[in-house]
Amino acid sequence: MQKRQIPASGGLTYGGTSRNEMGMTQAPSSSRPLRVTRAPAPLAGTVAVPGDKSISHRALMFSALAEGETRIIGLLEGEDVLRTADAMRALGAHITRDENGRWHVRGRGLGALTEPSDVLDMGNSGTAARLLSGILASHGMMSVMTGDASLRRRPMKRVTDPLAGTGATFLAREGGRLPLAIQGNATPAPLDYRLPVASAQVKSAVLLAGLNAAGETRVEEPVPTRDHTENMLRHFGAQVAVEETPEGGRIIRLQGKPHLIARDVTVPGDPSSAAFVLVAALLVAGSDVVISNVGLNPLRTGLFTTLREMGARLDITNERTEGGEPVGDLHVQASSLQAVDVPAERAPSMIDEYPILAVAAGFATGISRFRGVEELRVKESDRLASTVALLEKNGVRTKVDGDDLIIYGTQGAIPGGGTVETHMDHRLAMSASILGLVAENPVEIDDTAFIDTSFPGYFPLLNSLGAGFAA
Ligand code: S3P
C-alpha cells in the first residue's frame, strides 16, 4: 500500500485536503473527477487495507480521556479521523505521530478536557460529530461544532435529544442540524435510554456522556450494533456489562466515573474498506486476491455472510485476536453471483456496505431485495437515492418499495456509460469506481476526492492488483 507523509503540523497537503500552519484540516480545495474503464486483466496479489475508521475515532477520543500516554498502531490516517485528532487537540490532549506511523496520545483524564478556543470542524464525519457530542455534553464548557455541507445536512437530534437528559443544553439549526452550540454540564445526570433507531453512534454518544456521570448509564438497543465503544472502554478500564434481551436486542450498563488508564491500541484493517477490494475481485473475471489483517468483529461482517449466500468464493484464513478484536485474512476469487434477499435485522452489521453490495447485485443473476434500509437516507448522502441513481444511470434497473431496495441483476452485463454524482459521499465514489471496472462502457465519476475521508491510497492499492485506474 502506498504510504503518505502525514504532517504532525505544518502547511503540507494531505490527500485532497490541505492542512494549515497549525496542522488543522482545511476543506477539500477542488474536486477530482475520474473516468473509469474496464479492468485490463484479472486482479491478483495481496494487499492490506487501512485501519478501521470506527476503532480509530474511538482510540483517539478515549485515549484523550484517559490518564497517561496511549500508543495507537495502525490508526486510519483518513480525513475523518484526522478531524477527530484535531478536535481532541483543541480540547487539550497532546497528540503526535512518530516516524514509524505510530500515534501517541497524552490524555487529560476524565472530566478534564479544556474549553476549545475555536469552532470544532468535524468535516465529513458523522461518527466524529455524534460521539464527540456525548463527550462535550458531559464536560462543563461551551463548544460549537460544525462540518462540511454533507455533515451539516445530517440529523443530530438523534443524539441531542437523549443527551439533553444529562443537563447539557444545545442550540442547533432548524431540524437539529450543525452548526451546534453545546453548553456542557460538569455534573451530568446518568441516562437510561432505549434507542429508537439502530445506531452505534447514538449508543456511543450516550455511553460517552455516562463516563463523567455518577452512577449507572443504561442503553437498550433493539438490534445489536457495532460494539467497539463497549470493547474499547473496557480496554481502558471502564466497567461495561452487556446482557442479551429475549427479543434479540442488548442492554448495556456502564458504571460512571471509571478510572480510565492509557492502554496501547492496535487497529485492524477496516472491513468496510476491504469490501470494495473484495467485490472488485469477485466481479473482475479470473481474479484471485488476498486482503490481509481485516477486522472480523461479528457486528461488522454482514456483507461477508451476504456475499457467501450469493455464491462468493470467500475464505477466511489466519484467524486470530489482535487488540481485543478478531482479525483474519480474506482470500477471494472471482465468482458467478446469484441474487440475494437481505433481511432487515442484518442491516446494522453491514450498514456501510449497501452501495457496494448494490453493485454486486447489479452484476448478479436474478432479482435482489435489501430489506429495511431506511437508515441509508441519512448517511454522507441520501444513500438510498444515490445508490439507485448510480445503478440506473449505468443501465441497471432498480425499485424502491417502502424501505426496501430491489435490484434487477444484469447477469454480468452492466451497460455502464453513465455519469455518477457522488454528493460528497466516499462510499458512493468507491462503489462507482468498482462498477466502472466491470461495466461495458466507461463510467464518469464527478468527484473522487472524498475517498480520502476513509480510504487514503485507494486507487494506488487497487492499481497494485492490476485495476488500471487512471487516477
Ligand atoms: C459508525 C456507525 C454507523 C456507520 C458509521 C460508523 C460508528 O453509523 O454507518 O460509518 O463508528 O459508530 P450509525 O450509528 O448512524 O448507524
Side-chain angles (χ1 to χ4, degrees), residues 53-54 58 127 130 158 198-201 226 351-352 379:
K53 182 154 70 71
S54 294
R58 288 161 171 81
T127 308
R130 300 218 178 91
R158 54 176 57 198
S199 167
Q201 293 177 359
R226 65 190 69 190
I351 193 64
D352 292 332
K379 295 297 176 184

Side-chain angles (χ1 to χ4, degrees), residues 156-202:
M156 291 297 288
K157 267 175 83 65
R158 54 176 57 198
V159 288
T160 56
D161 278 354
L163 291 175
T166 61
T169 48
F170 299 93
L171 270 179
R173 275 197 311 133
E174 178 65 27
R177 314 210 179 241
L178 297 180
L180 177 68
I182 303 172
Q183 178 56 59
N185 183 352
T187 54
L191 300 173
D192 182 346
Y193 193 62
R194 186 173 200 275
L195 298 181
V197 284
S199 167
Q201 293 177 359
V202 179

Side-chain angles (χ1 to χ4, degrees), residues 324-345:
E325 292 276 345
V327 295
D329 301 340
L330 306 182
H331 178 208
V332 51
Q333 293 169 278
S335 311
S336 110
L337 299 182
Q338 305 302 311
V340 70
D341 190 326
V342 188
E345 315 79 73

Side-chain angles (χ1 to χ4, degrees), residues 23 31 81 118 141 145 156 201 204 271 286 300 335 374 384 413 443:
S31 63
V81 174
D118 201 350
M141 62 195 185
M145 197 159 50
M156 291 297 288
Q201 293 177 359
S204 300
R300 297 288 300 281
S335 311
E374 64 275 11
L384 191 50
V443 171

Side-chain angles (χ1 to χ4, degrees), residues 227-434:
D227 57 359
H228 305 303
T229 295
E230 296 90 310
N231 296 342
M232 203 186 293
L233 283 178
R234 276 196 206 104
H235 183 65
F236 279 93
Q239 264 189 56
V240 185
V242 179
E243 183 191 318
E244 315 267 323
T245 66
E247 298 78 36
R250 285 185 173 183
I251 295 170
I252 300 117
R253 290 191 173 85
L254 166 81
Q255 298 310 318
K257 301 268 183 192
H259 191 201
L260 296 180
I261 303 185
R263 291 280 305 272
D264 285 358
V265 177
T266 303
V267 183
D270 196 326
S272 298
S273 296
F276 299 97
V277 185
L278 169 56
V279 171
L282 285 173
L283 303 190
V284 175
S287 297
D288 192 331
V289 166
V290 173
I291 313 168
S292 58
N293 195 38
V294 178
L296 296 174
N297 182 312
L299 292 167
R300 297 288 300 281
T301 52
L303 177 75
F304 304 162
T305 308
T306 304
L307 289 172
R308 283 196 174 123
E309 287 172 3
M310 296 174 82
R313 292 193 288 168
L314 167 61
D315 296 317
I316 297 176
T317 58
N318 201 10
E319 276 187 74
R320 58 209 185 272
T321 302
E322 262 176 29
E325 292 276 345
V327 295
D329 301 340
L330 306 182
H331 178 208
V332 51
Q333 293 169 278
S335 311
S336 110
L337 299 182
Q338 305 302 311
V340 70
D341 190 326
V342 188
E345 315 79 73
R346 199 180 289 165
S349 69
M350 53 179 292
I351 193 64
D352 292 332
E353 280 64 84
Y354 284 103
I356 189 60
L357 179 66
V359 173
F363 200 75
T365 299
I367 304 169
S368 293
R369 184 183 274 264
F370 305 166
R371 294 180 189 268
V373 291
E374 64 275 11
E375 271 295 298
L376 296 186
R377 296 193 171 99
V378 291
K379 295 297 176 184
E380 284 82 334
S381 65
D382 173 346
R383 266 189 199 155
L384 191 50
S386 51
T387 301
V388 163
L390 161 67
L391 295 178
E392 293 277 348
K393 286 197 174 175
N394 289 290
V396 180
R397 279 176 54 223
T398 63
K399 195 167 132 189
V400 176
D401 179 17
D403 291 331
D404 295 358
L405 173 59
I406 299 166
I407 297 170
Y408 298 84
T410 60
Q411 225 174 320
I414 295 184
T419 298
V420 179
E421 286 175 62
T422 51
H423 303 286
M424 308 175 80
D425 187 335
H426 54 132
R427 299 203 200 277
L428 240 291
M430 290 185 274
S431 301
S433 74
I434 303 302

